[in-house]
Amino acid sequence: NIKSPKNGGTVLMPGVNFIADNLNKYSTVILTDGHTDSLDLSELKEKVLIISAGKKCRISKGKCKQIIVDNEG
């Protein structure tokens, strides 16, 4: 089983912006508990995969594939 602390409120946009500015030729994988700021992924040129534990991330712009892992069990 994968267990994650549920502290919530992680701000991911500075990391997304860094990837857009410096690593934009690569696909991106984000691992999170789902408790994040609203994500603008529109500047990322390659594929984005978000894997989160129990909660879908809010996406304000852009496309991604999200996989929700049930962390109960």
Side-chain angles (χ1 to χ4, degrees), residues 1-3 5 8 13 17 19 22 24 36 40 50-51 53 56:
N1 289 341
I2 299 173
K3 297 200 181 229
M13 275 311 300
N17 292 334
I19 292 167
N22 299 287
N24 217 354
T36 68
D40 177 354
I50 299 175
I51 302 173
K56 191 172 185 176

Side-chain angles (χ1 to χ4, degrees), residues 17-73:
N17 292 334
F18 178 86
I19 292 167
D21 293 341
N22 299 287
L23 302 167
N24 217 354
K25 64 182 179 180
Y26 303 107
S27 294
T28 302
V29 176
I30 299 172
L31 304 175
T32 178
D33 63 359
H35 297 275
T36 68
D37 49 341
S38 183
L39 301 177
D40 177 354
L41 306 174
S42 63
E43 296 297 318
L44 299 180
K45 295 180 180 174
E46 297 300 323
K47 295 179 182 180
V48 178
L49 172 63
I50 299 175
I51 302 173
S52 63
K55 184 177 188 322
K56 191 172 185 176
C57 294
R58 292 173 292 151
I59 308 299
S60 63
K61 292 182 184 176
K63 295 180 181 178
C64 71
K65 170 73 175 172
Q66 289 196 58
I67 298 173
I68 313 303
V69 178
D70 179 13
N71 62 351
E72 299 296 321

